[in-house]
C-alpha cells in the first residue's frame, strides 16, 4: 500500500472554543506539499494532529506508512547532544565500549557497526560536519535546525512533517534544505513562508477560514491560479450584485406603477363613471395579474440574492494587513551611522567583528549578509550599544529603533497601548490608539497583551510602537524580520518599508525579502581563522 495521509471531516478548535478548521477533507501522498495560510489558520496544529501529538477521532484520519516530525522544542534541551537528536545515545555508547574492548559477546552481537557512518552521512547531507557527542548548546540556531533535519532523514520515515524548517538558517543552509527535499522520495508536508522553499514543492495547500484548497504545482503556479480565481470571483461578485440591484430596481418600479394604478382606480370608482359590477371585475383581474407579477418579481429577487450569497460564501473576508508609516523627514545628506575600525564581540581574545568601518548617510538601505555565526547579530548589538566595542568608534547620529525576530522590546505582560506609551513617553491614550490603528490594531485590539500575539502580530505591534511615535525614528534596524511572518505579513512589511523614508539596516537570509526592499549596499560578513570581519 502506498504511503498516504487521509483526512476526512477533520475539525479542531482552540481551548477557548474558536474553530480553526471544520470538516477538513485532505489527502497527502508521496509528494512534497507546501502548507500555507495566514498566521493562526491552523497550519502547525494540523501537523501536530497528523503526527499524533493531538487527539483526533479515529474515523477522521487514516495514515499508511510512518510519520516523523521535526520538533523545534527538541532543539532547546541544553543537556542534549547530536546523538540524542538521532535517538542514538545508547547505541553509540555500546559502540564506544566495543571499540575500547569493554563489551561482552552479547553486546557485540547487538552493536550497529554502521551507525556512526550513517549518522555522519545524514549530517553531511545537511551540510553539517560535527561529532555525535557535540552538545546542542554549542551549535548556532541554524546548525541545530540542520542537525534536526538530518536526524529526521536518518529515521527514513514515509512522511516528513516540517514546520518552518528554514527559519534560523543562512542562505547555504536554506539551499541545503531545498536540495535535500528535492531529492526526497517519500511524502513531505511543509509549513513555510519561505518563497524559495515553496518553489520546490509539488503542490500547495492553502488553509483559510473557508477550509483547505489544494493547488498542483509550486508557489509560482499557486499564485497564478489564486490570482485567476480571485479575479473570477470578483467578476462573479460584480455580476451578482448587478443582477440583485436590477431585480430590486424592477420590483421598486413595479410597486410604484401599481401604486399609481391603484390610486387611479380608486379615483375612478369614486367618480362612478362605470357600473360597479364592471369595476369590481376589472379590479379582480388587476389584483390577480398584479399578484402573479409580484410573485415572479419576488422569485427573481430571491434568486438574485441567493446567487449573491453563494458568491460571498466563496470569498474569504479578511482584514487587510496594512502598516501606515509616517514620514521621518530624514535629509538625504544627514549622517546616520558611523563605524570606524570597530572590533568587538563577547571576548577580546576572539573578536566576532574585526576592524569594521561603515558609514550610512541619508535614507540608505543596507543589507547585512553572511553565514550563521559570522557575527551579523553581534554587529547589530555593537551598533545599538547592547555590547561595547573592544576598539574603534560607533556613532549613531539619529534616533533609531531595533526590532529582532522575537520583538523583545515588547513587554509581554503589558497591553499594546501600554507598550506604546512606555516607548513614547508623554503620548496619551488617544495618540496610542491612533498610532496602533495605523498598523491594524483597532479598538479593543489595542488592549490585547503583547504576550498573546502571534509572531506576525508581534512584529506589526513592534513596528507600531516604534514607527508610530512622533517623530518616528530615522533609522530602522531589523534582525530576521520575516522569520515569524506569514506570506501576507511579509507582503505588508515590504509595502511598509517601501513607504518608509528613513534609513534601514537589515539582517535577513530571505533573498526574496532583500530583493523587495532594494538595498543600496550589502555588507558581507565573513569568517576569519581566529576572528571575523566584513566587506562590502
Amino acid at each position: 500500500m502506498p504511503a498516504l495521509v487521509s483526512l476526512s471531516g477533520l475539525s479542531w478548535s482552540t481551548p477557548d472554543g474558536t474553530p480553526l478548521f471544520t470538516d477538513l477533507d485532505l489527502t497527502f501522498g508521496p509528494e512534497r506539499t507546501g502548507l500555507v495560510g495566514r498566521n493562526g489558520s491552523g497550519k502547525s496544529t494540523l501537523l501536530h494532529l497528523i503526527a499524533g501529538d493531538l487527539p483526533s477521532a479515529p474515523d477522521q484520519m487514516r495514515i499508511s506508512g510512518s510519520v516523523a516530525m521535526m520538533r523545534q522544542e527538541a532543539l532547546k534541551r541544553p543537556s542534549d547532544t547530536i546523538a540524542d537528536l538521532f535517538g542514538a545515545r545508547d547505541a553509540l555508547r555500546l559502540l564506544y565500549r566495543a571499540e575500547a574492548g569493554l563489551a561482552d559477546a552479547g553486546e557485540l552481537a547487538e552493536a550497529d557497526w554502521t551507525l556512526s557512518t550513517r549518522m555522519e552521512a545524514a549530517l553531511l547531507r545537511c551540510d553539517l560536519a560535527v561529532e555525535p557527542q557535540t552538545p546542542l548548546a554549542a551549535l548556532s540556531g541554524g546548525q541545530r535546525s540542520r542537525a534536526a533535519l538530518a536526524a529526521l532523514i536518518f529515521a527514513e520515515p514515509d512522511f516528513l512533517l516540517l514546520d518552518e524548517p528554514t527559519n534560523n538558517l543562512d542562505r547555504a543552509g536554506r539551499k541545503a534544505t531545498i536540495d535535500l527535499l528535492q531529492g526526497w522520495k517519500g511524502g513531505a508536508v511543509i509549513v513555510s513562508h519561505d518563497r524559495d522553499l515553496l518553489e520546490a514543492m509539488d503542490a500547495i495547500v492553502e488553509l483559510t477560514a473557508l477550509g483547505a484548497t489544494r493547488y498542483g504545482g509550486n508557489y509560482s503556479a499557486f499564485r497564478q491560479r489564486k490570482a485567476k480565481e480571485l479575479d473570477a470571483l470578483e467578476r462573479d461578485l460584480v455580476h451578482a450584485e448587478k443582477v440583485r440591484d436590477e431585480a430590486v430596481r424592477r420590483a421598486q418600479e413595479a410597486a410604484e406603477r401599481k401604486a399609481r394604478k391603484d390610486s387611479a382606480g380608486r379615483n375612478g370608482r369614486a367618480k362612478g363613471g362605470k357600473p360597479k359590477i364592471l369595476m369590481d371585475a376589472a379590479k379582480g383581474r388587476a389584483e390577480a395579474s398584479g399578484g402573479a407579477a409580484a410573485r415572479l418579481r419576488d422569485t427573481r429577487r430571491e434568486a438574485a440574492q441567493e446567487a449573491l450569497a453563494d458568491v460571498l460564501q466563496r470569498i474569504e473576508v479578511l482584514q487587510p494587513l496594512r502598516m501606515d508609516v509616517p514620514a521621518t523627514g530624514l535629509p538625504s545628506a544627514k549622517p546616520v551611522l558611523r563605524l570606524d575600525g570597530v572590533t568587538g564581540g563577547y571576548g577580546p581574545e576572539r573578536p566576532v567583528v574585526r576592524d569594521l568601518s561603515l558609514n550610512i548617510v541619508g535614507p540608505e538601505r543596507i543589507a547585512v549578509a553572511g553565514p550563521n555565526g559570522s557575527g551579523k547579530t553581534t554587529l547589530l548589538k555593537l551598533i545599538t550599544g547592547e555590547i561595547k566595542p573592544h576598539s574603534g568608534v560607533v556613532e549613531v547620529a539619529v534616533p533609531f529603533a531595533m526590532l529582532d525576530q522575537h520583538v523583545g522590546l515588547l513587554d509581554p505582560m503589558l497591553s499594546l497601548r501600554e507598550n506604546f506609551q512606555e516607548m513614547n513617553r508623554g503620548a496619551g491614550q488617544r495618540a496610542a490608539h491612533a498610532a496602533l490603528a495605523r498598523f491594524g490594531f483597532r479598538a479593543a485590539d489595542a488592549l490585547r497583551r503583547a504576550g498573546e500575539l502571534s509572531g506576525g502580530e508581534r512584529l506589526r505591534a513592534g513596528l507600531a510602537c516604534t514607527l508610530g511615535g512622533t517623530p518616528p525614528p530615522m533609522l530602522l534596524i531589523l534582525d530576521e524580520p520575516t522569520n515569524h511572518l506569514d506570506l501576507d505579513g511579509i507582503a505588508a512589511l515590504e509595502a511598509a518599508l517601501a513607504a518608509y523614508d528613513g534609513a534601514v539596516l537589515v539582517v535577513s537570509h530571505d533573498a526574496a525579502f532583500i530583493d523587495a526592499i532594494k538595498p543600496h549596499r550589502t555588507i558581507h560578513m565573513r569568517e576569519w581563522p581566529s576572528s571575523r570581519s566584513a566587506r562590502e
Side-chain angles (χ1 to χ4, degrees):
M1 180 180 294
L4 196 72
V5 174
S6 179
L7 313 178
S8 178
L10 181 66
S11 300
W12 186 261
S13 299
T14 61
D16 64 1
T18 302
L20 281 181
F21 36 78
T22 304
D23 292 332
L24 210 59
D25 294 323
L26 272 176
T27 298
F28 299 104
E31 61 182 358
R32 295 156 299 190
T33 302
L35 192 58
V36 302
R38 281 200 168 188
N39 289 338
S41 61
K43 303 183 298 294
S44 296
T45 299
L46 184 58
L47 286 193
H48 283 287
L49 282 163
I50 296 173
D53 298 338
L54 298 172
S56 63
D59 60 340
Q60 292 182 336
M61 187 177 306
R62 182 169 59 88
I63 299 176
S64 61
S66 57
V67 172
M69 182 170 175
M70 180 176 168
R71 305 177 190 280
Q72 296 292 339
E73 57 269 20
L75 307 179
K76 300 175 183 178
R77 294 192 283 264
S79 61
D80 279 5
T81 65
I82 294 287
D84 291 309
L85 276 183
F86 280 73
R89 180 190 284 261
D90 293 338
L92 285 174
R93 186 183 292 118
L94 173 57
L95 284 180
Y96 300 149
R97 283 172 50 79
E99 290 171 357
L102 301 175
D104 58 31
E107 289 175 322
L108 290 174
E110 295 177 1
D112 182 351
W113 299 100
T114 65
L115 177 61
S116 296
T117 302
R118 290 186 290 115
M119 287 179 62
E120 180 182 358
L123 290 165
L124 287 175
R125 285 184 68 185
C126 296
D127 197 26
L128 198 60
V130 291
E131 294 296 326
Q133 300 87 359
T134 304
L136 296 181
L139 303 178
S140 70
Q143 290 172 322
R144 286 196 295 271
S145 294
R146 278 189 269 174
L149 187 57
L152 208 60
I153 299 297
F154 178 81
E156 297 183 340
D158 295 302
F159 272 95
L160 296 176
L161 304 178
L162 306 178
D163 194 354
E164 300 290 2
T166 56
N167 270 8
N168 304 313
L169 293 184
D170 56 22
R171 294 196 182 187
R174 289 182 177 216
K175 183 179 184 303
T177 300
I178 293 170
D179 290 345
L180 188 149
L181 288 171
Q182 284 180 325
W184 180 250
K185 302 303 182 184
V189 183
I190 304 160
V191 171
S192 182
H193 61 258
D194 183 334
R195 289 163 284 190
D196 290 332
L197 176 59
L198 293 173
E199 289 292 352
M201 298 295 101
D202 300 308
I204 302 291
V205 169
E206 184 186 28
L207 276 185
T208 70
L210 303 178
T213 306
R214 184 186 185 280
Y215 299 83
N218 62 10
Y219 181 63
S220 292
F222 158 72
R223 289 188 62 185
Q224 290 173 2
R225 287 189 56 190
K226 183 75 173 176
K228 289 181 180 178
E229 286 182 0
L230 292 176
D231 287 344
L233 278 173
E234 186 174 348
R235 289 194 299 270
D236 289 347
L237 180 61
V238 170
H239 176 71
E241 288 177 337
K242 182 179 179 180
V243 171
R244 187 273 314 272
D245 292 344
E246 180 67 13
V248 169
R249 183 185 65 79
R250 289 185 176 182
Q252 179 64 31
E253 289 176 350
E256 291 173 356
R257 285 197 301 270
K258 183 176 183 304
R260 288 194 296 270
K261 287 182 179 180
D262 289 347
S263 177
R266 286 192 298 272
N267 291 337
R269 289 171 64 87
K271 292 178 181 178
K274 291 182 180 180
K276 183 175 183 302
I277 190 170
L278 294 178
M279 295 183 67
D280 287 346
K283 178 183 177 184
R285 287 193 301 271
E287 288 178 348
S289 175
R295 287 191 294 273
L296 179 59
R297 288 192 298 271
D298 289 343
T299 299
R300 289 175 175 171
R301 186 166 50 188
E302 289 172 3
Q305 193 65 47
E306 288 175 2
L308 176 59
D310 178 67
V311 175
L312 291 173
Q313 285 179 353
R314 291 183 277 133
I315 297 177
E316 185 182 20
V317 179
L318 294 173
Q319 180 182 358
L321 287 177
R322 291 188 58 192
M323 305 181 194
D324 295 328
V325 182
T328 68
L330 176 64
S332 60
K334 171 75 175 175
V336 172
L337 173 68
R338 181 173 78 92
L339 276 68
D340 187 5
V342 172
T343 295
Y346 296 95
E349 69 284 352
R350 287 182 61 85
V352 181
V353 176
R354 175 179 173 178
D355 194 27
L356 174 62
S357 296
L358 169 67
N359 284 288
I360 298 178
V361 178
E364 284 191 283
R365 292 166 180 244
I366 309 297
V368 181
N372 286 339
S374 60
K376 301 183 297 299
T377 297
T378 300
L379 171 62
L380 300 190
K381 290 180 178 180
L382 286 165
I383 292 172
T384 60
E386 186 174 337
I387 58 177
K388 300 297 181 184
H390 306 323
S391 61
V393 176
V394 177
E395 290 182 352
V396 184
V398 298
F400 70 90
M402 161 78 180
L403 287 177
D404 60 31
Q405 59 181 295
H406 304 293
V407 197
L409 55 80
L410 295 177
D411 187 332
M413 302 306 295
L414 297 181
S415 70
L416 298 188
R417 185 181 71 192
E418 291 167 337
N419 270 292
F420 182 91
Q421 291 178 297
E422 280 289 316
M423 288 181 232
N424 298 275
R425 298 288 182 173
Q429 290 189 8
R430 180 174 297 179
H433 277 278
L436 290 165
R438 289 198 297 271
F439 287 78
F441 296 102
R442 295 177 175 81
D445 283 341
L447 305 180
R448 294 172 63 189
R449 285 199 313 166
E452 299 171 352
L453 303 179
S454 69
E457 288 173 325
R458 277 199 302 275
L459 180 70
R460 190 153 43 99
L463 288 168
C465 291
T466 52
L467 298 183
T470 304
M474 294 181 173
L475 170 63
L476 184 60
I477 302 173
L478 302 171
D479 189 4
E480 297 292 358
T482 64
N483 263 7
H484 300 288
L485 288 180
D486 57 33
L487 293 165
D488 287 342
I490 293 173
L493 176 60
E494 290 170 350
L497 292 178
Y500 178 61
D501 67 345
V504 177
L505 182 65
V506 58
V507 169
S508 177
H509 296 303
D510 187 336
F513 173 72
I514 292 296
D515 289 343
I517 66 172
K518 297 179 173 60
H520 298 91
R521 288 180 285 158
T522 298
I523 305 299
H524 295 275
M525 305 298 292
R526 60 183 182 181
E527 296 192 27
W528 293 75
S530 60
S531 60
R532 299 174 178 92
S533 188
R535 61 182 173 82
E536 288 191 29

